[in-house]
Structure formats: structure tokens, C-alpha cells
């Protein structure tokens, strides 16, 4: 088999407050996150949205100590995985490749080439597949493999697209939930509140993103593994931008529970395996406030898996299994739907072209950008770029 490497894919997060703006620029430059009518507009729009949004985003990062813990935790996971693989007799070097911040996926690939890795296991740290997360990283890799002959000829890869149904992962989640449940005074009446990161509805309904289906299946499997009588809800958090996202939204679902006189709620973040801004700030600070105002007096959260031993052990087994099974190609995974239809932004393009014929094309485009900036940042465009 030769030299084995494992590439852990993750989103990345700003480590310092100064990183927030360029991090957001990278994120909004990704056509998998926001897709525009014409490619030359992508970077200017990313610049506008990141310029208008970064101050608000920095305030959130300030509340969690001035930066994202994602790099530190992902590197700890990498070390733990390397040790677990070694214990199982599988020598492997682990690399971390982030999509929007350091260490970037491209840098990890440069290391992988330098180390002359023969077989690479590509493992996203997202349990469920989404076009916007694992899919976006796969596209970056697909391009690198296409244009780089050394990679194409010398590095065989095994692609893992999602792994939310792994028994060890499910057991680790159930253990963490049970530990928190047992700290409530009336543990059987606690409402289990699964909160997944949202995506726009069009990703699922038009582009064929399997994300929602995998999130629902994952929730059901965790409930089954947990095997407790508690009621549960699944909702979606962290909506941004102008389009409709998967529902119910976390804040609405919490309010509804409050109206039903539910007092004990345990939140379970399920679309991400590390602590990050959406757990530490959004759930622990913002949603806690929403819950308390709605009369939910005991609001707790299950910690993220991070380097949970059972979880890491299962990831090691997953890596070993995938080394021994036939591999999918990027193209099998990146386009989950045969008849990939249009993203919402592409549909706007159609609308745009018609209106551009009626109006002056360029003016309409400017108006369209101003609208997008306003919807993503909550501010008018002149405010956004600091003119007002
Ligand atoms: C499974 C997890 C995630 C999905 C799905 C996802 C989709 C998605 N996200 C945005 C916009 C933003 N995401 C941001 C940060 C961020 N998102 C995830 C995870 C998922 N995103 C993580 C782990 C992080 C980083 C956290 C950290 O600790 O730094 C941000 C920036 C933060 C902010 O300003 O609120 C934005 C913006 C979209 C548009 C999208 C689907 C299309
Ligand atoms: Fe996100
Ligand atoms: Fe958020």
C-alpha cells in the first residue's frame, strides 16, 4: 500500500479578530456558498459582503475570546487519530486542510506531495454531506487532481463522503447526551433539542443536496442508540442571507417549546464535531437568551465531541475500512444529483437577464448587488462600504 496519509477536511475559522474579514471574504468567494450569475462578480460581491459583515461577526468572535478554536481542536483530533491508528497497527500521517482559513487545503496537498504519500484517505470532519461543506472541499480537491499530474498519477485516494451512521460515532453522541441528561433533576421530562446548521432550502430541493435527509437519519439513529423516553425536536440554526433556509428555525422552535410550558431543554449540536462559534456563541449565548425569555428555565447543551476517545477510535476504524474498500471518484460525490438543477442564484440570473433587457443591464446588476449586500449584512450598501 505504500505511504498512507489521512486528510482531515474542515471549514477553518479566524484565529484573531484581524482574520475575520479575510476569512469572510474567502467564504463568500466560494460559489458553493453563494453562487452568482457571472463569475467576475463573485469576488467584488465577496468583498462587499465581508466588508459589511465583519464588524458584527467580530463582535461574536470577541464573545468567545477573540477567535475560533477550530484549528486547535482539529489539530488535536489529528494527533489523537494518528495515535489511535498507530495503536491499531496502521501507520499514517494526518494532514489538516481547511476550506476558508489556515492551514488551507492547498497547503495540505503540497505537504502530501512533498511527503510522497501513495494512498490518501480523504475524511471530512462533517458527519453529514452537504454541497456547501464537504462538497465544496471535494471540488477544490477535484480541481487539484485534474490539473496536477503528480497527484493524478501518483496519489491514489479513498473518498469518504459522510459517516453519520457509524456505530462508534452514534455511541459517543449517546454517551455525551446521557451524561448531560443525568444532571437534570427530572431527567425523563427533558426535551432533547437537536440543532443542525441550516442550508438554503434550494440546496436540498433543487440541487439535490442529501444534507437534510442525512441530518434526519442521523437524529433518528442517535435517539435509537440513546434509548431513553425523552421527547425530541430537530431544528436548524445559523441562517444567513436572503433566501429561505431549512425549517423549523432554532429560535422559533425554542419559542414554541416555551409556549408549551417546557422548562428543561438539552441542546444537541449535530452537524459539526468540534466546538466553534455556532456552539460557543450562537447556542450558549444567543439561543440561551431566547430560551430563557421563552420561560425555559433549565437550558443546557451537550458538548461537542472534540477528541472523545470512542469517537476518535471509530474514525480510525473508518480510515482502515476505507483503505480496504473500493473508492469513489470525486465526480461520484460532488454531484449528488444526476439532474443537478439550478441554485437560487442561478435562477436570479435568469430573472436578471430578463429585467436587464428591460432596464439597463449594468444598472440592474448594480441594484441586484446592492440588494444582496443589504440582505446579507442588514445594512445599505453605502453604509456597508463605509460611505455613509
Ligand atoms: C455542517 C456545518 C455547516 C454548514 C452546512 C454550513 C453552511 C453554510 N454556512 C454559511 C455561512 C457562514 N458560515 C460561517 C461559519 C461557519 N460555518 C460552519 C459550519 C457550516 N456551515 C462552521 C464550522 C463555521 C466556522 C465557525 C468558527 O468557529 O469560526 C460564517 C462565518 C461566521 C459568521 O459571520 O456568522 C458564515 C457567514 C452559509 C451561507 C452556508 C450554506 C450555504
Ligand atoms: Fe457556515
Ligand atoms: Fe452564526
Amino acid at each position: 500500500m505504500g505511504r498512507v496519509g489521512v486528510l482531515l477536511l474542515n471549514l477553518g475559522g479566524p484565529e484573531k479578530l484581524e482574520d475575520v474579514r479575510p476569512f469572510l471574504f474567502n467564504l463568500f468567494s466560494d460559489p458553493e456558498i453563494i453562487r452568482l450569475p457571472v463569475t467576475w462578480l463573485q469576488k467584488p460581491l465577496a468583498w462587499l459582503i465581508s466588508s459589511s459583515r465583519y464588524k458584527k461577526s467580530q463582535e461574536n468572535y470577541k464573545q468567545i475570546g477573540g477567535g475560533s478554536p477550530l484549528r486547535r481542536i482539529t489539530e488535536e483530533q489529528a494527533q489523537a487519530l494518528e495515535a489511535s491508528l498507530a495503536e491499531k497497527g496502521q501507520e499514517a500521517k494526518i494532514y489538516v486542510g481547511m476550506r476558508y482559513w489556515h492551514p488551507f487545503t492547498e497547503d495540505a496537498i503540497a505537504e502530501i506531495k512533498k511527503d510522497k504519500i501513495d494512498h490518501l484517505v480523504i475524511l471530512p470532519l462533517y458527519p453529514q454531506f452537504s454541497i456547501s461543506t464537504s462538497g465544496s472541499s471535494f471540488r477544490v480537491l477535484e480541481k487539484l487532481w485534474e490539473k496536477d499530474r503528480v497527484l493524478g498519477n501518483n496519489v491514489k485516494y479513498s473518498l469518504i463522503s459522510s459517516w453519520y451512521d457509524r456505530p462508534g460515532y452514534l455511541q459517543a453522541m449517546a454517551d455525551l447526551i446521557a451524561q448531560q441528561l443525568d444532571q437534570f433533576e427530572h431527567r425523563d421530562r427533558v426535551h432533547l433539542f437537536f440543532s443542525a446548521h441550516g442550508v438554503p432550502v434550494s440546496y436540498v430541493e433543487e440541487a439535490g443536496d442529501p444534507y437534510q435527509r442525512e441530518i434526519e437519519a442521523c437524529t433518528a439513529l442517535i435517539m435509537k442508540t440513546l434509548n431513553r423516553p425523552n421527547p425530541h425536536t430537530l431544528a436548524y440554526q445559523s441562517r444567513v442571507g436572503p433566501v429561505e433556509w431549512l425549517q423549523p428555525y432554532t429560535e422559533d422552535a425554542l419559542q414554541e417549546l416555551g409556549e408549551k410550558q417546557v422548562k428543561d431543554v438539552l441542546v444537541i449540536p449535530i452537524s459539526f464535531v468540534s466546538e466553534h462559534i455556532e456552539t460557543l456563541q450562537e447556542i450558549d449565548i444567543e439561543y440561551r437568551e431566547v430560551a430563557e425569555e421563552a420561560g425555559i428555565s433549565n437550558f443546557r447543551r451537550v458538548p461537542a465531541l472534540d477528541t472523545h476517545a470512542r469517537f476518535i477510535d471509530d474514525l480510525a476504524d473508518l480510515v482502515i475500512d476505507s483503505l480496504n474498500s473500493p473508492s469513489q471518484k470525486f465526480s461520484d460525490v460532488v454531484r449528488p444529483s444526476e439532474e443537478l438543477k439550478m441554485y437560487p442564484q442561478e435562477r436570479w440570473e435568469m430573472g436578471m437577464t430578463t429585467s436587464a433587457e428591460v432596464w439597463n443591464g449594468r444598472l440592474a446588476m448594480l441594484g441586484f448587488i446592492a440588494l444582496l449586500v443589504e440582505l446579507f449584512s442588514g445594512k445599505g450598501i453605502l453604509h456597508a462600504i463605509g460611505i455613509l
Side-chain angles (χ1 to χ4, degrees), residues 53 56-57 60 197 237-240 277-278 281-282 286-287:
R53 203 186 150 85
K56 181 170 155 252
S57 193
N60 295 340
H197 199 297
Q237 64 175 83
S238 318
R239 176 168 35 109
V240 262
I277 192 155
E278 322 286 16
Q281 195 276 332
E282 197 167 20
E286 287 181 34
Y287 292 139

Side-chain angles (χ1 to χ4, degrees), residues 40-86:
W40 63 265
L41 264 180
Q42 190 88 36
K43 298 263 173 193
L45 186 75
W47 184 81
L48 281 172
I49 298 178
S50 56
S51 303
S52 63
R53 203 186 150 85
Y54 82 99
K55 288 216 174 92
K56 181 170 155 252
S57 193
Q58 276 180 335
E59 287 309 313
N60 295 340
Y61 283 103
K62 267 186 206 157
Q63 292 177 29
I64 63 165
S68 170
L70 210 50
R71 179 178 192 161
R72 175 181 55 77
I73 296 169
T74 310
E75 282 169 353
E76 287 166 6
Q77 288 167 328
Q79 275 180 6
L81 179 59
E82 193 163 308
S84 177
L85 281 168

Side-chain angles (χ1 to χ4, degrees), residues 141-295:
L141 292 171
E142 183 183 33
K143 284 197 195 110
L144 290 172
W145 251 265
E146 267 168 18
K147 73 171 191 219
D148 189 328
R149 298 242 311 282
V150 178
L151 282 176
N153 296 334
N154 302 348
V155 189
K156 185 167 177 274
Y157 61 80
S158 300
L159 198 55
I160 299 169
S161 55
S162 67
W163 43 268
Y164 64 88
D165 53 355
R166 297 281 306 180
Y169 159 74
L170 294 169
Q171 194 57 57
M173 286 298 291
D175 289 350
L176 286 180
I177 297 169
Q179 263 172 31
Q180 291 296 316
L181 266 183
D182 294 342
Q183 290 181 34
F184 281 87
E185 197 180 335
H186 306 284
R187 63 180 184 196
D188 288 349
R189 73 172 200 201
V190 176
H191 198 99
L192 299 176
F193 191 103
F194 290 83
S195 189
H197 199 297
V199 295
V201 171
S202 59
Y203 280 53
V204 175
E205 291 185 357
E206 285 155 39
D209 197 337
Y211 181 72
Q212 183 179 23
R213 183 166 29 82
E214 295 195 0
I215 287 284
E216 287 172 0
C218 179
T219 304
L221 286 169
I222 294 173
M223 282 305 294
K224 191 166 165 225
T225 313
L226 178 67
N227 195 23
R228 299 265 187 126
N230 303 70
H232 78 280
T233 298
L234 167 62
Y236 295 89
Q237 64 175 83
S238 318
R239 176 168 35 109
V240 262
V243 294
E244 190 196 355
W245 283 47
L246 295 180
Q247 300 213 28
Y249 300 139
T250 293
E251 61 268 35
D252 298 343
L254 284 172
Q255 245 139 22
E256 206 173 293
L257 288 179
E259 279 159 26
K260 290 185 185 147
Q261 309 305 317
V262 172
K263 298 291 166 209
D264 306 277
V265 166
L266 179 60
V267 180
I268 305 152
I270 52 160
S271 43
F272 209 62
V273 293
S274 317
E275 297 296 350
H276 63 297
I277 192 155
E278 322 286 16
T279 53
L280 299 168
Q281 195 276 332
E282 197 167 20
I283 298 178
D284 292 356
I285 300 177
E286 287 181 34
Y287 292 139
R288 169 181 299 279
E289 244 176 67
V290 173
E292 283 170 357
E293 265 166 37

